[in-house]
Amino acid sequence: MTATRGLEGVVATTSAVSSIIDDTLSYVGYDIDDLTENASFEEVIYLLWHLKLPNQEELQELKKQLSENAVLPEEIFNHFKSYPIENVHPMAAIRTAVSMLGMLDDNADEMNKEANYEKAVRLQAKIPGIVAAFSRIRKGLEPIQPKKDTSLAENFLYMLKGKDPSPVEVEALEKALILHADHELNASTFTARVCVATLSDVYSGITAAIGALKGPLHGGANEGVMKMLTKIGNVENAESHIQALFQRKEKVMGFGHRVYRNGDPRAKHLKEMSKRLTNLTGESKWYDISKKVEEVVTFEKKLPPNVDFYSASVYHSLGIDHDLFTPVFAVSRTSGWLAHILEQYENNRLIRPRAEYTGPDLQKYVPIDERI
Ligand code: CMC
């Protein structure tokens, strides 16, 4: 048995949800370029969960269900209020809150198809409110419940900031949510599938996935990018800062990818949005620094930016706190995780690979007082 490091190139499952072929990312066969241009995030959620685009009636029904299930139980607010959360990372908080939702759901362990779909709706509906509530409570503000008949993107910004977002902000977040919604068998999606393949419940699958997304090699990279841009501070410092990272053999957050060879197809949309939004906010320096960093990294290492690189300056321009960037990713990716969880349940088999053993040969137990 020979291990493949990081499971690179290993095909671990079949899936009809999304694919990466020749550096093109598509959801159920629809190119993300097409969806980003034309679809709403709710349409994409429907597409991922039903493997077809909704008609008008089906879309309205999903929107109604999401709206009806978006109100958060008081227990979540009380939980956030009962801890000194100033130093808690929001990803830890939402991971815990999703786990709590599982505790509070009487049907958490009901495993039929309908019950699991309903849990998917409940979770997707509530996750934006969880992120917003955490953000407000840690600032000493009261959490805000969602509006009715409002898109998920708009409601999220409303609950986060306590005021109606501008159409430009809503459109930008909507596009970002579409771009992050699913991504084949990425680390967190794999985690979710491994978890529910034991026939554990939907909440456990999403809790596990949030844990995997949190790491800086995965979703945590977008926060890392903003930290780096802030440290760089201005365009003139960019080259020396990146060269110093190379010298120390540190990774540049937001660059490289396990699967894409010629670039992440999501990055160009976010780059364009970053340019436009930073211009509108009068802070084009974030775009300019990002562009300079991209020039240096692609020249020196031939590594193109991934989805996390320009999303950092996009979220910053939307007035989102930097440590909430990865939670925003989670709000979107919950739709993909849920699609994969539902797909896994449909044709389940325990996921249990092997390990190449590198320890000592069989040895005899030595009683403790005979050991040196
Ligand atoms: N900066 C500097 N060098 C890099 C980077 C980077 N961002 N990415 C890869 N390399 C180098 C790496 O040092 C290695 O060089 P060498 O062969 O000389 O040791 C080579 O490229 C291969 O790297 P790897 O880490 O073995 O590649 P991987 O396929 O295991 O990792 C990755 C992929 C995305 C984890 C990695 O590129 C990385 O750590 N990037 C920075 C973190 C990041 O932006 N993560 C977000 C990924 S995309 C969104 C998501 O899915 O969440």
Side-chain angles (χ1 to χ4, degrees):
M1 288 193 300
T2 313
T4 306
R5 264 193 104 219
L7 298 184
E8 179 164 2
V10 172
V11 179
T13 188
T14 58
S15 175
V17 182
S18 65
S19 69
I20 302 170
I21 299 171
D22 295 335
D23 287 357
T24 296
L25 170 62
S26 57
Y27 302 160
V28 198
Y30 294 94
D31 192 321
I32 49 134
D33 291 351
D34 198 1
L35 292 171
T36 309
E37 211 50 57
N38 298 302
S40 65
F41 181 50
E42 282 80 356
E43 270 181 285
V44 168
I45 297 174
Y46 190 99
L47 173 66
L48 297 173
W49 293 359
H50 296 267
L51 305 179
K52 71 176 190 82
L53 282 170
N55 61 28
Q56 199 55 262
E57 206 178 303
E58 290 163 335
L59 181 61
Q60 290 321 315
E61 179 57 25
L62 176 64
K63 283 183 175 174
K64 186 166 154 272
Q65 290 170 348
L66 289 172
S67 180
E68 284 169 359
N69 284 283
V71 173
L72 282 185
E74 282 294 319
E75 284 90 339
I76 300 286
F77 299 151
N78 293 340
H79 174 71
F80 287 155
K81 286 177 184 171
S82 67
Y83 285 95
I85 52 175
E86 306 83 56
N87 297 321
V88 170
H89 195 280
M91 284 299 278
I94 68 164
R95 186 190 60 215
T96 306
V98 166
S99 191
M100 273 190 78
L101 284 182
M103 260 171 42
L104 297 168
D105 188 337
D106 292 340
N107 283 329
D109 291 316
E110 192 66 59
M111 290 304 274
N112 65 63
K113 191 173 172 171
E114 204 188 343
N116 280 330
Y117 184 81
E118 284 168 6
K119 276 175 274 185
V121 170
R122 287 203 280 280
L123 249 167
Q124 183 67 58
K126 288 185 172 61
I127 192 124
I130 293 176
V131 178
F134 177 80
S135 169
R136 292 184 68 82
I137 290 169
R138 72 174 171 173
K139 290 177 180 166
L141 300 167
E142 269 308 301
I144 296 174
Q145 289 287 12
K147 283 187 180 179
K148 283 217 160 68
D149 302 324
T150 307
S151 74
L152 189 147
E154 182 171 348
N155 238 334
F156 174 63
L157 290 173
Y158 164 71
M159 289 186 286
L160 193 65
K161 299 184 188 188
K163 61 176 194 226
D164 287 329
S166 72
V168 173
E169 290 173 323
V170 175
E171 191 199 334
L173 183 63
E174 183 99 22
K175 282 191 194 309
L177 293 177
I178 293 172
L179 289 168
H180 287 80
D182 198 45
H183 202 219
E184 204 221 41
L185 206 56
N186 60 89
S188 54
T189 300
F190 185 53
T191 304
R193 289 190 81 128
V194 170
C195 179
V196 302
T198 66
L199 294 185
S200 188
D201 64 290
V202 174
Y203 293 97
S204 298
I206 299 295
T207 304
I210 293 172
L213 186 74
K214 181 170 178 281
L217 297 188
H218 191 9
N222 56 11
E223 183 186 341
V225 171
M226 203 62 222
K227 273 192 189 139
M228 173 178 73
L229 298 179
T230 309
K231 254 191 207 158
I232 292 173
N234 60 55
V235 181
E236 290 68 42
N237 290 341
E239 171 132 31
S240 58
H241 185 95
I242 299 301
Q243 294 294 1
L245 288 181
F246 291 155
Q247 289 265 312
R248 297 197 299 272
K249 301 211 175 308
E250 285 178 28
K251 294 245 175 98
V252 187
M253 290 293 110
F255 286 86
H257 205 274
R258 173 63 68 77
V259 182
Y260 298 117
R261 285 297 153 243
N262 300 309
D264 182 330
R266 302 165 294 182
K268 62 180 180 293
H269 295 282
L270 290 152
K271 183 174 180 178
E272 194 49 49
M273 284 155 67
S274 164
K275 186 176 181 186
R276 199 158 73 92
L277 290 169
T278 55
N279 212 359
L280 280 173
T281 57
E283 283 196 305
S284 49
K285 77 166 187 175
W286 298 120
Y287 175 76
D288 297 338
I289 300 172
S290 305
K291 208 162 145 271
K292 184 70 196 171
V293 170
E294 180 186 352
E295 268 168 41
V296 177
V297 180
T298 47
F299 180 76
E300 294 284 337
K301 297 275 176 185
K302 312 282 171 283
L303 286 171
N306 59 47
V307 71
D308 288 313
F309 188 61
Y310 283 100
S311 65
S313 43
V314 166
Y315 295 151
H316 174 82
S317 305
L318 294 178
I320 296 172
D321 292 342
H322 299 171
D323 62 357
L324 293 183
F325 291 2
T326 315
V328 174
F329 191 157
V331 166
S332 164
R333 185 57 59 82
T334 295
S335 62
W337 291 330
L338 289 165
H340 282 267
I341 287 173
L342 298 176
E343 187 180 56
Q344 184 67 38
Y345 285 142
E346 274 295 289
N347 185 19
N348 188 56
R349 190 158 190 233
L350 179 77
I351 299 172
R352 202 297 188 192
R354 299 297 309 274
E356 179 188 347
Y357 179 64
T358 57
D361 288 341
L362 270 183
Q363 25 185 359
K364 195 111 186 89
Y365 179 82
V366 181
I368 193 157
D369 34 1
E370 289 172 28
R371 284 177 224 156
I372 34 167

